[in-house]
Amino acid sequence: MMENKLNVPTMASLFAEGKQPEVLFWVGCAGSFDDRAKKITKAFVKLLHKAGVSFAVLGTEESCTGDPAKRAGNEFLFQMQAMTNIEVMNGYEIKKVVTACPHCFNTIKNEYPSLGGTYEVLHHTQFLKALVDEGRITLEGGTYKGKRITYHDPCYLGRANDVFEAPRELISKLDAELVEMKNCRKKGLCCGAGGAQMFKEPEKGDKDVNIERTEQALETQPEIIAAACPFCNTMMTDGVKNKEKEASIAVMDIAELLANVEDL
């Protein structure tokens, strides 16, 4: 049972031994507590082990980055949450951070520096692409050969931070057929969860955003909808269920696709 043996060291334990990991893996609220997103966390950790990356998590010392508070207009709460995290990270002399959540990525990368937290911040798709380019992960096996995969650009990864190519290059390395939606890259459409919308009911209207986005995905006749954000994953999964297509179309994170190819 590999599930029970996943070794995930904490910064506190490594620090006590006088060790500094290559990267801090920032798990985020979704990756820590949401049952679906936990699978993405596990897939990414397995890939880190496979690539021989020395990494650590903050564990109980990690708190929400404050993204939802800021987007919902509570700047005071955001700054309190941010300062707490920055104090912890600076205490451990963190230099490099990788996260599977575009919201955490955007906040730590762009909003923490002005509060005293300056780090090299990578989204997990960028980090995984680097590991593949360096030959630390080799993608062999035809699990997804010729499969039609459409990729949904998370707003905070794509439009906000111009990370468009890393996830697509990873999909192409799987020998899959990447089919683009009419709204992609700079013209990507939100899944409906951004700006703290994840945590409230939608306002009245004709159609939920995630249904509109799912319809765009279904137009490409995909076998898999690839996501790179735990919130996008939830919204697209709900959309696929709404269309009663969950038996034929999977919604998967890029890390899960790679971990499946590696048979981890």
Side-chain angles (χ1 to χ4, degrees), residues 75-87:
E75 180 66 22
F76 178 66
L77 176 57
F78 162 70
Q79 292 207 9
M80 278 171 50
Q81 290 178 303
M83 299 296 274
T84 305
N85 286 323
I86 289 167
E87 211 168 289

Side-chain angles (χ1 to χ4, degrees), residues 148-150 179 217-225 248-250:
R148 288 175 70 85
I149 300 180
T150 193
V179 283
L218 297 182
E219 279 171 18
T220 68
Q221 299 179 309
E223 292 167 78
I224 296 163
I225 299 172
S248 56
I249 298 173

Side-chain angles (χ1 to χ4, degrees), residues 229-253:
C229 167
F231 298 122
C232 296
N233 195 305
T234 298
M235 300 305 271
M236 299 305 283
T237 300
D238 288 351
V240 170
K241 283 178 181 162
N242 176 273
K243 300 290 180 189
E244 299 182 349
K245 297 274 193 208
E246 64 265 41
S248 56
I249 298 173
V251 180
M252 296 178 76
D253 189 86

Side-chain angles (χ1 to χ4, degrees), residues 77-107:
L77 176 57
F78 162 70
Q79 292 207 9
M80 278 171 50
Q81 290 178 303
M83 299 296 274
T84 305
N85 286 323
I86 289 167
E87 211 168 289
V88 170
M89 289 202 278
N90 289 352
Y92 286 127
E93 298 171 6
I94 301 293
K95 303 279 187 289
K96 192 170 181 177
V97 180
V98 62
T99 179
C101 174
H103 296 258
C104 298
F105 166 73
N106 177 67
T107 305

Side-chain angles (χ1 to χ4, degrees), residues 46-86:
K46 287 175 182 175
L47 289 165
L48 292 176
H49 279 305
K50 170 88 180 171
V53 176
S54 74
F55 72 99
V57 298
L58 287 173
T60 53
E61 290 185 280
E62 180 187 301
S63 167
C64 177
T65 58
D67 165 75
K70 188 177 180 79
R71 306 297 157 221
N74 193 337
E75 180 66 22
F76 178 66
L77 176 57
F78 162 70
Q79 292 207 9
M80 278 171 50
Q81 290 178 303
M83 299 296 274
T84 305
N85 286 323
I86 289 167

Side-chain angles (χ1 to χ4, degrees), residues 18-254:
K19 292 179 185 165
Q20 189 74 5
E22 191 178 330
V23 288
L24 169 71
F25 171 29
W26 186 276
V27 184
C29 304
S32 302
F33 301 115
D34 179 83
D35 284 343
R36 175 65 186 87
K38 283 180 197 171
K39 294 177 180 171
I40 300 169
T41 304
K42 283 182 180 169
F44 185 54
V45 165
K46 287 175 182 175
L47 289 165
L48 292 176
H49 279 305
K50 170 88 180 171
V53 176
S54 74
F55 72 99
V57 298
L58 287 173
T60 53
E61 290 185 280
E62 180 187 301
S63 167
C64 177
T65 58
D67 165 75
K70 188 177 180 79
R71 306 297 157 221
N74 193 337
E75 180 66 22
F76 178 66
L77 176 57
F78 162 70
Q79 292 207 9
M80 278 171 50
Q81 290 178 303
M83 299 296 274
T84 305
N85 286 323
I86 289 167
E87 211 168 289
V88 170
M89 289 202 278
N90 289 352
Y92 286 127
E93 298 171 6
I94 301 293
K95 303 279 187 289
K96 192 170 181 177
V97 180
V98 62
T99 179
C101 174
H103 296 258
C104 298
F105 166 73
N106 177 67
T107 305
I108 300 172
K109 180 175 186 280
N110 299 321
E111 283 157 3
Y112 276 23
S114 64
L115 297 169
T118 307
Y119 320 100
E120 181 190 351
V121 188
L122 295 168
H123 184 255
H124 74 315
T125 56
Q126 295 174 305
F127 193 65
L128 289 168
K129 183 189 173 301
L131 292 176
V132 170
D133 289 347
E134 290 164 17
R136 292 170 75 176
I137 294 178
T138 48
L139 298 177
E140 285 163 17
T143 318
Y144 296 106
K145 195 173 175 63
K147 284 217 185 303
R148 288 175 70 85
I149 300 180
T150 193
Y151 170 67
H152 163 76
D153 286 287
C155 298
Y156 283 84
L157 187 63
R159 291 184 300 169
N161 286 288
D162 289 331
V163 179
F164 298 111
E165 301 313 320
R168 287 177 168 83
E169 285 179 32
L170 289 170
I171 291 170
S172 67
K173 285 205 163 53
L174 300 173
D175 285 339
E177 184 189 350
L178 178 62
V179 283
E180 295 284 9
M181 295 182 233
K182 62 182 179 191
N183 284 72
C184 64
R185 290 189 165 86
K186 272 285 186 213
K187 292 195 172 78
L189 181 71
C190 179
C191 71
Q197 297 292 324
M198 182 78 193
F199 308 105
K200 58 183 272 298
E201 289 305 311
E203 280 111 37
K204 286 194 167 40
D206 299 328
K207 187 194 284 183
D208 285 350
V209 177
N210 69 317
I211 302 301
E212 175 68 26
R213 187 54 166 162
T214 302
E215 286 170 359
Q216 291 188 355
L218 297 182
E219 279 171 18
T220 68
Q221 299 179 309
E223 292 167 78
I224 296 163
I225 299 172
C229 167
F231 298 122
C232 296
N233 195 305
T234 298
M235 300 305 271
M236 299 305 283
T237 300
D238 288 351
V240 170
K241 283 178 181 162
N242 176 273
K243 300 290 180 189
E244 299 182 349
K245 297 274 193 208
E246 64 265 41
S248 56
I249 298 173
V251 180
M252 296 178 76
D253 189 86
I254 302 272

